Amino acid sequence: MARKRIGDLLIERGLITEKELEFALDTQKKTKEKLGEVLINNKIVTPENIAKTLAVQLEVDYVDLTKVNIPLELSKLVPPNTAKKNHMVPVQKQFNTLYVAMDDPLNYYALDEVRKVTNLKIVPLISTSSAVERAINTLYGNEGAWRAIEDYKRDQDTDASAPDKLDSSVQYYVITSGSFSGDSDNAPTIRLVNSIIERAAAERASDIHFEPRENEMDVRMRVDGVMRDVLKVPNDITMAVIARIKTMSGMDVAEKRIPQDGRFTVSVADRNFDMRVSTLPIAWGEKIVCRLLDKSATNIDKEMLGLRPDDMEKYEKLIHYKNGVMLLVGPTGAGKTTTMYAMLNELNTRDVNLVTLEDPIEYNLDGLNQVQINPKVNMTFANGLRAILRQDPDIISVGEIRDGETADICMRAALTGRFVMSTIHTNDAVGAIDRLEDIGVEPYLISATLRGVISQRLVRRICPYCAEEYTPTADDEERLGIKIQPGTKFKVGKGCQHCFNTGYSGRIAVFEIMLVTPKIRELITKKAGREAILEELKKPENKFVSLKEAGIKLIYDGITTVYEVMRITNESD
């Protein structure tokens, strides 16, 4: 009996219309893609829709890999290279039968190869391509880590006095794909650290946390601003892992009583990462945090920031002032550095002298004169600024205003015809004025030089693959403080294989941009206070949109959720 065509099955299941199928078939003739790929790329169906429909067509079972705990021992049956090459992951073993998840269960060559490797009967299951990829990374990442731990214990049993070989002279490291599977040339601790870094890179983590506890060490990663548990390392290998990371970072391994900072560069799958490392003595040892900076992501421009049209107009006006001060505000992790580098990329032309003061230098940009702060030799922001002013600058970028001296020099530099950009830690745009006054800057200097303030936060995007509409509740209306019109639909992610069942995938910036108008200058000079400035900003001619209002617009656009907006505006959810 002939199989039904995938297009017909999709129509039967109510997932597409005849018109959409016709469009997809016409597109397929031009692109030569599979029909499913055309439908997914044009957002007509989700990858899960295609996988579940193919399961019906091919008479195989569909598996949601986010809801399956794959036993670690299965990684020993199918080698990582075999799994990666054939894009399949073992899911379950029952007697002499091995169930494997694939995005193409008709790949008989792959099935035959696994059958020969395992000497077992192979039953294919179908899942989405991204889910299989993530399951492979998770399974073999953990497998590599545990194998390294087991090897370490074995080595210690053999020779308790033999430490891992650590080379403190090397500051650039290469982690080749699959190195977590067990490179015999590396000591177990090196392979364990490599596997953790490789997994962090694969999962787009911004930070790795190594946290010693009483009986073990927790390894966690921050992905899209949220911490995730990754691994637990036994106590007997904890000190070796910490020593390895400190050695890679150029730190003093013997010094455990005071915090230390270091860095190293690592290459993972042809991507270079700058690793910023910090240690902190805690109750059960030294906590280490590694921040990953993708050095290939230096081509940042304003289009990537997610500015709305009205915000873009204000942004353009701000960065093209010839003199004055422009401030970026927000807490740590709000995306200020990304916005600053987008500005620097745009302003970095051959007809200006642009100098930056950074601590640390996050990305190296061609054409910029980038200065690294070094307090050990008294190279502070204030002293660096004084030196820069003797270098005939047109534009100065200061990493952060931390004290009144630095702020005062920035303001006075702006008075002499320079354009100065910097960041400062406040909760909102108006708060920047309060902060400057608090650290001792005279109101007349603020009103004379401040051109504008950009406040920003990052909110998580709703996963496009599992987003579904719902009718806002009275609770949503109350929390947002707005009247929601009947018939309005919001979106939420229900959780799927693509987003690790979180309902979110990626992040987007939310902006609050305040332009300093003549009236606001007058209020600053008079020390009118926060409420008076906010009242002025609310006037229609100022077109001021607060962080909360900008977040609500993203909710209406189906980009983020009520929970996320409440989180970034410091209001209870």
Side-chain angles (χ1 to χ4, degrees):
M1 179 178 172
R3 288 187 181 132
K4 284 189 176 181
R5 295 180 299 177
I6 183 71
D8 295 332
L9 283 171
L10 288 167
I11 291 174
E12 281 183 17
R13 293 163 63 87
L15 297 171
I16 64 171
T17 64
E18 292 276 3
K19 190 173 182 180
E20 287 170 333
L21 176 59
E22 185 179 336
F23 164 78
L25 290 171
D26 289 341
T27 305
Q28 184 186 26
K29 291 176 183 176
K30 301 172 186 175
T31 63
K32 307 302 181 185
E33 296 175 303
K34 293 180 180 179
L35 181 62
E37 292 174 350
V38 174
L39 292 167
I40 292 169
N41 292 340
N42 286 277
K43 301 189 184 302
I44 297 172
V45 296
T46 66
E48 284 81 6
N49 293 151
I50 293 295
K52 289 177 180 179
T53 305
L54 282 171
V56 174
Q57 183 194 39
L58 303 177
E59 298 180 346
V60 298
D61 288 330
Y62 170 82
V63 59
D64 183 349
L65 290 173
T66 62
K67 297 178 180 177
V68 175
N69 290 320
I70 302 176
L72 195 60
E73 56 267 21
L74 294 187
S75 62
K76 298 176 183 177
L77 289 176
V78 180
N81 291 337
T82 302
K84 283 194 167 188
K85 182 178 72 172
N86 296 303
H87 211 248
M88 64 164 56
V89 62
V91 174
Q92 184 181 19
K93 179 179 179 291
Q94 290 183 343
F95 304 108
N96 68 332
T97 301
L98 180 66
Y99 295 85
V100 297
M102 315 169 64
D103 57 356
D104 181 11
L106 294 182
N107 187 345
Y108 298 115
Y109 293 105
L111 293 171
D112 189 54
E113 181 176 347
V114 176
R115 187 180 297 111
K116 290 176 180 176
V117 168
T118 62
N119 200 29
L120 296 169
K121 177 184 176 183
I122 306 300
V123 175
L125 308 172
I126 191 167
S127 191
T128 63
S129 178
S130 60
V132 172
E133 185 72 30
R134 285 175 176 168
I136 290 172
N137 289 333
T138 300
L139 175 64
Y140 292 100
N142 284 343
E143 181 267 346
W146 282 114
R147 186 178 296 181
I149 291 170
E150 289 173 0
D151 288 349
Y152 178 87
K153 289 179 178 179
R154 191 182 309 114
D155 290 350
Q156 294 300 298
D157 290 339
T158 303
D159 182 2
S161 64
D164 282 349
K165 297 176 182 178
L166 302 175
D167 182 2
S168 60
S169 66
V170 179
Q171 296 297 312
Y172 181 84
Y173 302 84
V174 178
I175 300 177
T176 57
S177 179
S179 65
F180 50 73
S181 63
D183 184 348
S184 59
D185 293 334
N186 284 336
T189 306
I190 295 175
R191 289 191 280 113
L192 173 58
V193 173
N194 284 0
S195 72
I196 293 170
I197 293 173
E198 184 169 15
R199 180 170 175 186
E203 297 190 11
R204 301 176 293 104
S206 60
D207 302 88
I208 311 171
H209 291 241
F210 298 84
E211 302 169 327
R213 305 299 182 205
E214 182 177 7
N215 299 312
E216 59 197 0
M217 180 169 70
D218 290 335
V219 180
R220 299 193 293 165
M221 295 179 187
R222 188 178 296 279
V223 181
D224 290 341
V226 178
M227 297 290 284
R228 291 182 186 165
D229 286 312
V230 173
L231 188 68
K232 291 188 182 296
V233 177
N235 254 354
D236 50 3
I237 195 174
T238 292
M239 289 183 64
V241 170
I242 290 172
R244 170 61 182 166
I245 298 169
K246 290 173 71 174
T247 301
M248 293 173 77
S249 310
M251 298 181 190
D252 183 352
V253 177
E255 181 56 75
K256 302 174 183 179
R257 301 164 299 172
I258 61 174
Q260 295 187 66
D261 294 305
R263 61 186 291 184
F264 62 93
T265 300
V266 63
S267 178
V268 184
D270 298 324
R271 294 164 64 198
N272 288 330
F273 291 88
D274 204 0
M275 307 287 290
R276 304 292 166 81
V277 185
S278 170
T279 71
L280 180 69
I282 62 174
W284 302 107
E286 289 180 280
K287 172 179 166 63
I288 291 185
V289 176
C290 302
R291 169 151 290 188
L292 286 78
L293 293 171
D294 190 346
K295 298 181 74 173
S296 63
T298 57
N299 190 26
I300 305 167
D301 59 38
K302 61 188 177 185
E303 305 301 332
M304 298 169 59
L305 298 177
L307 288 159
R308 302 176 69 88
D310 50 347
D311 286 336
M312 183 65 80
E313 184 181 338
K314 296 176 187 176
Y315 171 92
E316 290 285 0
K317 185 174 182 179
L318 266 181
I319 69 167
H320 288 104
Y321 275 110
K322 297 301 180 184
N323 57 68
V325 175
M326 190 282 300
L327 295 175
L328 275 167
V329 306
T332 300
K336 299 188 300 297
T337 299
T338 301
T339 302
M340 181 67 80
Y341 274 99
M343 293 177 172
L344 292 174
N345 267 326
E346 184 165 354
L347 296 172
N348 184 20
T349 58
R350 300 305 299 168
D351 58 345
V352 297
N353 177 20
L354 201 166
V355 187
T356 72
L357 269 175
E358 303 177 60
D359 184 25
I361 295 173
E362 304 280 8
Y363 301 108
N364 293 307
L365 301 182
D366 289 338
L368 286 191
N369 303 293
Q370 295 174 272
V371 180
Q372 170 69 53
I373 294 300
N374 187 356
K376 292 180 181 178
V377 294
N378 205 28
M379 183 59 170
T380 62
F381 279 113
N383 290 337
L385 263 172
R386 292 191 184 94
I388 287 173
L389 290 175
R390 297 191 291 271
Q391 291 282 314
D392 184 34
D394 297 296
I395 302 170
I396 304 170
S397 171
V398 181
E400 183 184 346
I401 292 177
R402 297 175 180 173
D403 53 61
E405 185 182 15
T406 304
D408 190 72
I409 298 172
C410 285
M411 299 295 171
R412 295 187 185 280
L415 282 177
T416 62
R418 276 85 175 195
F419 181 56
V420 181
M421 302 186 297
S422 188
T423 68
I424 193 168
H425 288 290
T426 64
N427 288 328
D428 58 14
V430 177
I433 298 170
D434 296 334
R435 176 62 179 152
L436 289 171
E437 291 180 351
D438 184 57
I439 60 178
V441 182
E442 293 293 337
Y444 80 89
L445 261 183
I446 301 173
S447 65
T449 59
L450 189 61
R451 297 289 179 253
V453 183
I454 299 177
S455 175
Q456 73 178 84
R457 299 288 191 281
L458 292 176
V459 294
R460 289 180 290 173
R461 289 177 177 267
I462 297 170
C463 175
Y465 297 106
C466 63
E468 59 182 17
E469 291 186 336
Y470 75 97
T471 301
T473 64
D475 192 35
D476 289 335
E477 192 171 73
E478 182 181 349
R479 285 180 292 177
L480 294 174
I482 59 174
K483 181 66 177 176
I484 301 175
Q485 296 299 317
T488 301
K489 296 289 185 181
F490 288 172
K491 285 186 178 180
V492 67
K494 63 182 180 180
C496 68
Q497 301 176 42
H498 298 269
C499 61
F500 296 97
N501 274 332
T502 62
Y504 298 98
S505 179
R507 292 190 288 178
I508 186 172
V510 183
F511 293 94
E512 171 184 280
I513 303 180
M514 178 185 74
L515 298 179
V516 179
T517 63
K519 180 61 178 176
I520 292 176
R521 292 188 194 287
E522 183 181 333
L523 293 172
I524 295 171
T525 304
K526 291 180 178 178
K527 297 185 179 181
R530 176 184 178 85
E531 294 306 319
I533 294 174
L534 282 172
E535 195 63 35
E536 173 63 24
L537 285 171
K538 289 177 183 177
K539 293 180 179 178
E541 61 267 26
N542 289 314
K543 299 180 181 178
F544 178 74
V545 179
S546 70
L547 279 171
K548 186 173 183 178
E549 290 167 340
I552 290 172
K553 288 183 179 181
L554 292 178
I555 294 172
Y556 273 95
D557 290 343
I559 295 173
T560 193
T561 63
V562 174
Y563 170 82
E564 282 294 286
V565 172
M566 293 296 98
R567 181 178 64 82
I568 63 149
T569 53
N570 298 316
E571 298 184 32
S572 60
D573 184 35

